[in-house]
Amino acid sequence: MANDQPNGTFVLGKLTSLHNIQTSLLRSLKEGVYDHYCDVGVAMEQQQTPEKVNQVREALKAMCAMEAKLQDRCGALTDFPQSYVCTMATTDFKAKLQVPERNQTIEQNEEVKKFERKIWNVHHEGEAMPGEEDEEIAVLGSNIGDYRNAKCPLSGVDIHDLKDPVEDAQQIIYEKDVITTYLKKRNNTAQCPHQGTMHMVHLNQLRPCIQLLRERKKRQLATSQGIQLNKRTKLEDEGIDLDDE
């Protein structure tokens, strides 16, 4: 008599194979592909062919968008075996492997920013890019809409006050030392401790929260420049002409 029971091992094996294929694709993207886009874009800019530069730019954006989707899909595939239960009922794999949309726009991608900086430097080496002058002195507001959590789920510290902020594959932010200790006590993998989430957090998928670190740097720069401006104003009020010194 044939065995009509569902084969959970077969399903998980197929998912593992898919995960390995997508991980391999991600690895290929990181092996010099983005640098090649930059090199071609710079060459086109040097030849003063803006339409070709834009073609390279759009191709790079498409590649970055594909990488982001692959990263999210790999995370979903890694988490899936932790919650999957094989039964006779039909499983909606598409729904179970659905990943949330990222808050970050493609223009905020680090590889796209690096490309734009290199293109700009062809004719404007050492000059600030348009908009950077205002960005460097702007104090960004604490808009929780930009982040999925306001505090580290484990320490309770506001994310803006974290010493070394890191984020998981689903953009939940933690204090690095705290989440590292937490995961190591649980074989490097555990369910996300943030209330309302169900995904698994893996130690090897944690990465620095670049957006938060950049915001902190801009805040520090704005504070520093504000202090210098106040000092200059005070000296001028006392009748000291700084331009004559």
Side-chain angles (χ1 to χ4, degrees):
M1 181 176 180
N3 184 5
D4 293 330
Q5 293 299 316
N7 193 331
T9 302
F10 173 80
V11 172
L12 294 178
K14 288 294 184 181
L15 290 174
T16 299
S17 296
L18 181 59
H19 175 271
N20 291 339
I21 291 172
Q22 296 196 356
T23 301
S24 178
L25 286 172
L26 280 173
R27 190 179 302 113
S28 298
L29 285 175
K30 292 297 186 181
E31 293 177 352
V33 174
Y34 288 129
D35 288 338
H36 180 67
Y37 277 101
C38 289
D39 292 341
V40 174
V42 167
M44 295 300 99
E45 182 70 14
Q46 291 172 337
Q47 295 176 16
Q48 298 185 355
T49 52
E51 69 285 352
K52 292 184 178 180
V53 173
N54 193 54
Q55 289 176 0
V56 178
R57 177 183 290 111
E58 293 305 314
L60 172 62
K61 288 181 179 180
M63 184 69 73
C64 290
M66 183 178 72
E67 182 196 6
K69 288 183 178 180
L70 281 172
Q71 286 179 336
D72 291 342
R73 187 62 64 195
C74 283
L77 287 170
T78 300
D79 294 342
F80 182 77
Q82 307 293 331
S83 60
Y84 175 66
V85 177
C86 188
T87 67
M88 293 299 294
T90 301
T91 300
D92 188 347
F93 288 101
K94 182 177 181 180
K96 286 185 174 293
L97 294 173
Q98 190 70 32
V99 294
E101 292 293 328
R102 292 190 174 211
N103 293 326
Q104 186 185 58
T105 65
I106 197 63
E107 285 74 18
Q108 293 174 310
N109 183 280
E110 291 304 312
E111 297 296 340
V112 173
K113 288 182 178 181
K114 183 171 72 173
F115 176 86
E116 298 296 354
R117 165 57 66 186
K118 288 193 173 184
I119 297 300
W120 174 261
N121 284 344
V122 172
H123 300 298
H124 306 279
E125 182 72 36
E127 299 179 20
M129 293 179 65
E132 280 189 346
E133 299 91 341
D134 295 333
E135 284 185 3
E136 293 302 322
I137 61 174
V139 178
L140 301 180
S142 299
N143 183 1
I144 188 57
D146 293 337
Y147 305 101
R148 290 193 64 186
N149 57 307
K151 298 180 179 180
C152 172
L154 297 171
S155 68
V157 176
D158 188 290
I159 60 173
H160 295 90
D161 297 325
L162 296 178
K163 179 180 178 181
D164 193 0
V166 294
E167 60 182 356
D168 63 23
Q170 302 302 325
Q171 290 84 54
I172 300 297
I173 302 171
Y174 314 84
E175 180 65 79
K176 182 178 180 179
D177 289 345
V178 177
I179 185 63
T180 298
T181 300
Y182 181 81
L183 292 175
K184 285 183 176 179
K185 291 180 179 180
R186 293 163 175 79
N187 295 322
N188 297 333
T189 299
Q191 184 172 323
C192 178
H194 183 56
Q195 186 175 6
T197 60
M198 296 294 292
H199 67 277
M200 302 300 290
V201 182
H202 307 279
L203 184 61
N204 61 1
Q205 291 183 354
L206 295 176
R207 58 182 180 268
C209 185
I210 301 299
Q211 182 180 353
L212 191 58
L213 291 171
R214 284 183 175 275
E215 178 179 332
R216 177 179 299 172
K217 182 178 179 181
K218 290 175 182 178
R219 286 174 178 272
Q220 292 172 344
L221 180 60
T223 300
S224 174
Q225 292 185 352
I227 292 174
Q228 293 175 7
L229 180 60
N230 290 336
K231 182 178 179 180
R232 180 183 180 91
T233 301
K234 182 178 180 180
L235 291 174
E236 290 177 342
D237 289 343
E238 293 174 355
I240 301 176
D241 191 346
L242 298 178
D243 293 329
D244 291 338
E245 294 183 352

